[in-house]
Amino acid sequence: MAAALAILAAMLLPCWGAFPQFKRGSTKTNGARCSHHSECYSDCCLINLDHGGAFCVPRARITMMCLPQTKGAINIICPCQVGLSCIHKDPVCTRRCHLI
């Protein structure tokens, strides 16, 4: 078991900077106003019509509603956290974050 974890860590550590959730240029934390998802540390700038603007929010967790990241500046529903996939298991239901 420990050997498997060591191998997994060795594979993931060189790629750590490539994960969008840990971008170095993003300085805005959750709750800060934003105009583009790349400004947010979480890489999700969610529009909030009730409060009149867009704010940085965390990415969707397991079983939460999601949409894949688009090239657009602002999200209406956030993409999944790293390691989760935004899929729909039932054609009638909305997309949700799942482990694959």
Side-chain angles (χ1 to χ4, degrees), residues 18-40:
F19 291 135
Q21 190 170 1
F22 301 104
K23 293 189 306 184
R24 291 193 174 107
S26 309
T27 58
K28 293 188 179 182
T29 59
N30 293 335
R33 286 192 176 267
C34 56
S35 59
H36 195 273
H37 65 85
S38 63
E39 296 174 3
C40 302

PDB file of all heavy atoms in Angstrom, residues 18-40:
ATOM      1  N   ALA A  18       0.829  22.211 -13.056  1.00  0.00           N
ATOM      2  CA  ALA A  18      -0.070  22.208 -14.208  1.00  0.00           C
ATOM      3  C   ALA A  18      -1.535  22.207 -13.808  1.00  0.00           C
ATOM      4  O   ALA A  18      -2.392  22.500 -14.623  1.00  0.00           O
ATOM      5  CB  ALA A  18       0.214  20.969 -15.072  1.00  0.00           C
ATOM      6  N   PHE A  19      -1.849  21.879 -12.548  1.00  0.00           N
ATOM      7  CA  PHE A  19      -3.241  21.849 -12.126  1.00  0.00           C
ATOM      8  C   PHE A  19      -3.773  23.269 -12.047  1.00  0.00           C
ATOM      9  O   PHE A  19      -3.192  24.126 -11.390  1.00  0.00           O
ATOM     10  CB  PHE A  19      -3.401  21.170 -10.764  1.00  0.00           C
ATOM     11  CG  PHE A  19      -3.123  19.698 -10.791  1.00  0.00           C
ATOM     12  CD1 PHE A  19      -2.355  19.122  -9.810  1.00  0.00           C
ATOM     13  CD2 PHE A  19      -3.629  18.899 -11.794  1.00  0.00           C
ATOM     14  CE1 PHE A  19      -2.103  17.772  -9.823  1.00  0.00           C
ATOM     15  CE2 PHE A  19      -3.375  17.549 -11.816  1.00  0.00           C
ATOM     16  CZ  PHE A  19      -2.612  16.976 -10.826  1.00  0.00           C
ATOM     17  N   PRO A  20      -4.924  23.568 -12.687  1.00  0.00           N
ATOM     18  CA  PRO A  20      -5.418  24.934 -12.710  1.00  0.00           C
ATOM     19  C   PRO A  20      -5.809  25.460 -11.340  1.00  0.00           C
ATOM     20  O   PRO A  20      -5.814  26.648 -11.118  1.00  0.00           O
ATOM     21  CB  PRO A  20      -6.642  24.854 -13.623  1.00  0.00           C
ATOM     22  CG  PRO A  20      -6.982  23.425 -13.732  1.00  0.00           C
ATOM     23  CD  PRO A  20      -5.737  22.651 -13.446  1.00  0.00           C
ATOM     24  N   GLN A  21      -6.116  24.597 -10.389  1.00  0.00           N
ATOM     25  CA  GLN A  21      -6.537  25.044  -9.077  1.00  0.00           C
ATOM     26  C   GLN A  21      -5.371  25.679  -8.317  1.00  0.00           C
ATOM     27  O   GLN A  21      -5.574  26.437  -7.386  1.00  0.00           O
ATOM     28  CB  GLN A  21      -7.087  23.857  -8.296  1.00  0.00           C
ATOM     29  CG  GLN A  21      -7.763  24.251  -7.010  1.00  0.00           C
ATOM     30  CD  GLN A  21      -8.494  23.093  -6.397  1.00  0.00           C
ATOM     31  OE1 GLN A  21      -8.480  21.996  -6.924  1.00  0.00           O
ATOM     32  NE2 GLN A  21      -9.140  23.325  -5.291  1.00  0.00           N
ATOM     33  N   PHE A  22      -4.141  25.400  -8.705  1.00  0.00           N
ATOM     34  CA  PHE A  22      -2.973  25.882  -7.990  1.00  0.00           C
ATOM     35  C   PHE A  22      -2.128  26.809  -8.852  1.00  0.00           C
ATOM     36  O   PHE A  22      -0.924  26.781  -8.782  1.00  0.00           O
ATOM     37  CB  PHE A  22      -2.138  24.686  -7.511  1.00  0.00           C
ATOM     38  CG  PHE A  22      -2.896  23.770  -6.607  1.00  0.00           C
ATOM     39  CD1 PHE A  22      -3.375  22.561  -7.066  1.00  0.00           C
ATOM     40  CD2 PHE A  22      -3.162  24.137  -5.303  1.00  0.00           C
ATOM     41  CE1 PHE A  22      -4.083  21.723  -6.239  1.00  0.00           C
ATOM     42  CE2 PHE A  22      -3.875  23.298  -4.471  1.00  0.00           C
ATOM     43  CZ  PHE A  22      -4.338  22.090  -4.934  1.00  0.00           C
ATOM     44  N   LYS A  23      -2.769  27.630  -9.667  1.00  0.00           N
ATOM     45  CA  LYS A  23      -2.038  28.529 -10.544  1.00  0.00           C
ATOM     46  C   LYS A  23      -1.296  29.584  -9.742  1.00  0.00           C
ATOM     47  O   LYS A  23      -1.815  30.106  -8.769  1.00  0.00           O
ATOM     48  CB  LYS A  23      -2.989  29.192 -11.541  1.00  0.00           C
ATOM     49  CG  LYS A  23      -3.560  28.227 -12.523  1.00  0.00           C
ATOM     50  CD  LYS A  23      -4.297  28.935 -13.603  1.00  0.00           C
ATOM     51  CE  LYS A  23      -5.337  29.845 -13.015  1.00  0.00           C
ATOM     52  NZ  LYS A  23      -6.147  30.499 -14.005  1.00  0.00           N
ATOM     53  N   ARG A  24      -0.110  29.941 -10.163  1.00  0.00           N
ATOM     54  CA  ARG A  24       0.710  30.900  -9.422  1.00  0.00           C
ATOM     55  C   ARG A  24       0.303  32.342  -9.690  1.00  0.00           C
ATOM     56  O   ARG A  24       0.457  33.202  -8.855  1.00  0.00           O
ATOM     57  CB  ARG A  24       2.172  30.688  -9.781  1.00  0.00           C
ATOM     58  CG  ARG A  24       2.668  29.380  -9.242  1.00  0.00           C
ATOM     59  CD  ARG A  24       4.186  29.303  -9.309  1.00  0.00           C
ATOM     60  NE  ARG A  24       4.619  28.099  -8.645  1.00  0.00           N
ATOM     61  CZ  ARG A  24       5.073  27.032  -9.252  1.00  0.00           C
ATOM     62  NH1 ARG A  24       5.174  27.026 -10.562  1.00  0.00           N
ATOM     63  NH2 ARG A  24       5.441  25.971  -8.567  1.00  0.00           N
ATOM     64  N   GLY A  25      -0.224  32.651 -10.870  1.00  0.00           N
ATOM     65  CA  GLY A  25      -0.564  34.028 -11.199  1.00  0.00           C
ATOM     66  C   GLY A  25      -1.876  34.495 -10.595  1.00  0.00           C
ATOM     67  O   GLY A  25      -2.185  35.672 -10.600  1.00  0.00           O
ATOM     68  N   SER A  26      -2.675  33.592 -10.080  1.00  0.00           N
ATOM     69  CA  SER A  26      -3.974  33.937  -9.535  1.00  0.00           C
ATOM     70  C   SER A  26      -3.830  34.356  -8.081  1.00  0.00           C
ATOM     71  O   SER A  26      -3.320  33.617  -7.269  1.00  0.00           O
ATOM     72  CB  SER A  26      -4.905  32.733  -9.629  1.00  0.00           C
ATOM     73  OG  SER A  26      -4.902  32.212 -10.920  1.00  0.00           O
ATOM     74  N   THR A  27      -4.307  35.538  -7.762  1.00  0.00           N
ATOM     75  CA  THR A  27      -4.156  36.031  -6.408  1.00  0.00           C
ATOM     76  C   THR A  27      -5.468  36.228  -5.683  1.00  0.00           C
ATOM     77  O   THR A  27      -5.476  36.401  -4.482  1.00  0.00           O
ATOM     78  CB  THR A  27      -3.400  37.378  -6.417  1.00  0.00           C
ATOM     79  OG1 THR A  27      -4.130  38.295  -7.232  1.00  0.00           O
ATOM     80  CG2 THR A  27      -1.994  37.195  -6.944  1.00  0.00           C
ATOM     81  N   LYS A  28      -6.575  36.206  -6.379  1.00  0.00           N
ATOM     82  CA  LYS A  28      -7.856  36.487  -5.736  1.00  0.00           C
ATOM     83  C   LYS A  28      -8.381  35.242  -5.027  1.00  0.00           C
ATOM     84  O   LYS A  28      -8.418  34.160  -5.588  1.00  0.00           O
ATOM     85  CB  LYS A  28      -8.868  36.985  -6.758  1.00  0.00           C
ATOM     86  CG  LYS A  28      -8.479  38.337  -7.318  1.00  0.00           C
ATOM     87  CD  LYS A  28      -9.546  38.913  -8.175  1.00  0.00           C
ATOM     88  CE  LYS A  28      -9.105  40.275  -8.673  1.00  0.00           C
ATOM     89  NZ  LYS A  28     -10.126  40.921  -9.480  1.00  0.00           N
ATOM     90  N   THR A  29      -8.780  35.436  -3.788  1.00  0.00           N
ATOM     91  CA  THR A  29      -9.316  34.332  -2.998  1.00  0.00           C
ATOM     92  C   THR A  29     -10.825  34.277  -3.150  1.00  0.00           C
ATOM     93  O   THR A  29     -11.443  35.171  -3.738  1.00  0.00           O
ATOM     94  CB  THR A  29      -8.950  34.505  -1.512  1.00  0.00           C
ATOM     95  OG1 THR A  29      -9.487  35.751  -1.061  1.00  0.00           O
ATOM     96  CG2 THR A  29      -7.450  34.483  -1.315  1.00  0.00           C
ATOM     97  N   ASN A  30     -11.429  33.251  -2.588  1.00  0.00           N
ATOM     98  CA  ASN A  30     -12.874  33.098  -2.663  1.00  0.00           C
ATOM     99  C   ASN A  30     -13.577  34.282  -2.023  1.00  0.00           C
ATOM    100  O   ASN A  30     -13.196  34.734  -0.960  1.00  0.00           O
ATOM    101  CB  ASN A  30     -13.301  31.796  -1.976  1.00  0.00           C
ATOM    102  CG  ASN A  30     -12.803  30.590  -2.723  1.00  0.00           C
ATOM    103  OD1 ASN A  30     -12.560  30.650  -3.918  1.00  0.00           O
ATOM    104  ND2 ASN A  30     -12.647  29.488  -2.035  1.00  0.00           N
ATOM    105  N   GLY A  31     -14.594  34.787  -2.724  1.00  0.00           N
ATOM    106  CA  GLY A  31     -15.348  35.933  -2.250  1.00  0.00           C
ATOM    107  C   GLY A  31     -14.922  37.249  -2.892  1.00  0.00           C
ATOM    108  O   GLY A  31     -15.646  38.227  -2.825  1.00  0.00           O
ATOM    109  N   ALA A  32     -13.756  37.276  -3.532  1.00  0.00           N
ATOM    110  CA  ALA A  32     -13.273  38.496  -4.184  1.00  0.00           C
ATOM    111  C   ALA A  32     -13.983  38.698  -5.522  1.00  0.00           C
ATOM    112  O   ALA A  32     -14.332  37.732  -6.196  1.00  0.00           O
ATOM    113  CB  ALA A  32     -11.771  38.411  -4.411  1.00  0.00           C
ATOM    114  N   ARG A  33     -14.209  39.954  -5.895  1.00  0.00           N
ATOM    115  CA  ARG A  33     -14.812  40.247  -7.195  1.00  0.00           C
ATOM    116  C   ARG A  33     -13.834  39.863  -8.313  1.00  0.00           C
ATOM    117  O   ARG A  33     -12.625  39.976  -8.151  1.00  0.00           O
ATOM    118  CB  ARG A  33     -15.149  41.718  -7.314  1.00  0.00           C
ATOM    119  CG  ARG A  33     -16.356  42.105  -6.503  1.00  0.00           C
ATOM    120  CD  ARG A  33     -16.813  43.511  -6.905  1.00  0.00           C
ATOM    121  NE  ARG A  33     -18.029  43.843  -6.207  1.00  0.00           N
ATOM    122  CZ  ARG A  33     -19.255  43.632  -6.700  1.00  0.00           C
ATOM    123  NH1 ARG A  33     -19.392  43.106  -7.896  1.00  0.00           N
ATOM    124  NH2 ARG A  33     -20.326  43.957  -6.012  1.00  0.00           N
ATOM    125  N   CYS A  34     -14.380  39.413  -9.441  1.00  0.00           N
ATOM    126  CA  CYS A  34     -13.541  39.004 -10.571  1.00  0.00           C
ATOM    127  C   CYS A  34     -14.249  39.314 -11.877  1.00  0.00           C
ATOM    128  O   CYS A  34     -15.460  39.532 -11.902  1.00  0.00           O
ATOM    129  CB  CYS A  34     -13.203  37.519 -10.469  1.00  0.00           C
ATOM    130  SG  CYS A  34     -14.649  36.454 -10.377  1.00  0.00           S
ATOM    131  N   SER A  35     -13.490  39.320 -12.950  1.00  0.00           N
ATOM    132  CA  SER A  35     -14.070  39.509 -14.277  1.00  0.00           C
ATOM    133  C   SER A  35     -13.677  38.383 -15.236  1.00  0.00           C
ATOM    134  O   SER A  35     -14.160  38.328 -16.352  1.00  0.00           O
ATOM    135  CB  SER A  35     -13.643  40.860 -14.858  1.00  0.00           C
ATOM    136  OG  SER A  35     -12.238  40.918 -14.941  1.00  0.00           O
ATOM    137  N   HIS A  36     -12.780  37.499 -14.783  1.00  0.00           N
ATOM    138  CA  HIS A  36     -12.354  36.351 -15.598  1.00  0.00           C
ATOM    139  C   HIS A  36     -11.932  35.225 -14.664  1.00  0.00           C
ATOM    140  O   HIS A  36     -11.340  35.483 -13.606  1.00  0.00           O
ATOM    141  CB  HIS A  36     -11.185  36.747 -16.503  1.00  0.00           C
ATOM    142  CG  HIS A  36     -10.930  35.765 -17.590  1.00  0.00           C
ATOM    143  ND1 HIS A  36     -10.127  34.664 -17.412  1.00  0.00           N
ATOM    144  CD2 HIS A  36     -11.388  35.708 -18.861  1.00  0.00           C
ATOM    145  CE1 HIS A  36     -10.094  33.974 -18.538  1.00  0.00           C
ATOM    146  NE2 HIS A  36     -10.845  34.582 -19.433  1.00  0.00           N
ATOM    147  N   HIS A  37     -12.218  33.989 -15.051  1.00  0.00           N
ATOM    148  CA  HIS A  37     -11.907  32.857 -14.174  1.00  0.00           C
ATOM    149  C   HIS A  37     -10.425  32.703 -13.894  1.00  0.00           C
ATOM    150  O   HIS A  37     -10.025  32.187 -12.854  1.00  0.00           O
ATOM    151  CB  HIS A  37     -12.499  31.547 -14.720  1.00  0.00           C
ATOM    152  CG  HIS A  37     -11.905  31.107 -16.028  1.00  0.00           C
ATOM    153  ND1 HIS A  37     -10.756  30.370 -16.106  1.00  0.00           N
ATOM    154  CD2 HIS A  37     -12.318  31.294 -17.299  1.00  0.00           C
ATOM    155  CE1 HIS A  37     -10.479  30.122 -17.365  1.00  0.00           C
ATOM    156  NE2 HIS A  37     -11.422  30.673 -18.119  1.00  0.00           N
ATOM    157  N   SER A  38      -9.574  33.197 -14.774  1.00  0.00           N
ATOM    158  CA  SER A  38      -8.131  33.063 -14.559  1.00  0.00           C
ATOM    159  C   SER A  38      -7.621  33.969 -13.432  1.00  0.00           C
ATOM    160  O   SER A  38      -6.513  33.779 -12.950  1.00  0.00           O
ATOM    161  CB  SER A  38      -7.372  33.366 -15.843  1.00  0.00           C
ATOM    162  OG  SER A  38      -7.584  34.707 -16.226  1.00  0.00           O
ATOM    163  N   GLU A  39      -8.427  34.933 -12.996  1.00  0.00           N
ATOM    164  CA  GLU A  39      -8.029  35.804 -11.896  1.00  0.00           C
ATOM    165  C   GLU A  39      -8.143  35.104 -10.540  1.00  0.00           C
ATOM    166  O   GLU A  39      -7.544  35.537  -9.570  1.00  0.00           O
ATOM    167  CB  GLU A  39      -8.922  37.046 -11.847  1.00  0.00           C
ATOM    168  CG  GLU A  39      -8.816  37.935 -13.056  1.00  0.00           C
ATOM    169  CD  GLU A  39      -9.833  39.062 -13.008  1.00  0.00           C
ATOM    170  OE1 GLU A  39     -10.567  39.186 -12.019  1.00  0.00           O
ATOM    171  OE2 GLU A  39      -9.880  39.828 -13.978  1.00  0.00           O
ATOM    172  N   CYS A  40      -8.937  34.054 -10.478  1.00  0.00           N
ATOM    173  CA  CYS A  40      -9.245  33.393  -9.208  1.00  0.00           C
ATOM    174  C   CYS A  40      -8.283  32.250  -8.921  1.00  0.00           C
ATOM    175  O   CYS A  40      -7.917  31.494  -9.824  1.00  0.00           O
ATOM    176  CB  CYS A  40     -10.663  32.846  -9.230  1.00  0.00           C
ATOM    177  SG  CYS A  40     -11.912  34.100  -9.538  1.00  0.00           S
TER     178      CYS A  40
END
